[in-house]
Amino acid sequence: MASSVAGNDRSVVGERIADRYELEELVGSGGMSSVYRAHDQLLDRKVALKIASAARPARSRGSRTRTSSP
């Protein structure tokens, strides 16, 4: 579910994540994630829910390639 959420930032408001968090409003988004105001159904309180975007593959440390100039 998280991958579809990050891809459709605003259209998922009202959906429930992990059968617990109801998304209420997109607070902000960037290149790697989106942050939503949500309601935690279990604790009955407002929370911020950050969802990582699946658009970019995760890089492991040191995986960058370098080219050397002659």
Side-chain angles (χ1 to χ4, degrees):
M1 179 64 167
S3 62
S4 65
V5 169
N8 301 323
D9 291 333
R10 295 181 196 277
S11 65
V12 296
V13 171
E15 288 193 23
R16 189 172 288 184
I17 304 295
D19 209 24
R20 178 174 177 173
Y21 304 100
E22 186 172 339
L23 301 179
E24 296 180 340
E25 178 184 10
L26 176 66
V27 177
S29 62
M32 298 183 67
S33 62
S34 296
V35 177
Y36 293 87
R37 184 180 75 216
H39 183 78
D40 183 332
Q41 301 292 319
L42 182 64
L43 299 177
D44 193 27
R45 67 179 182 180
K46 302 292 182 197
V47 297
L49 191 63
K50 184 175 187 178
I51 301 175
S53 173
R56 293 184 180 176
R59 280 194 194 180
S60 61
R61 193 173 201 184
S63 66
R64 295 183 185 177
T65 57
R66 291 185 177 186
T67 57
S68 57
S69 55

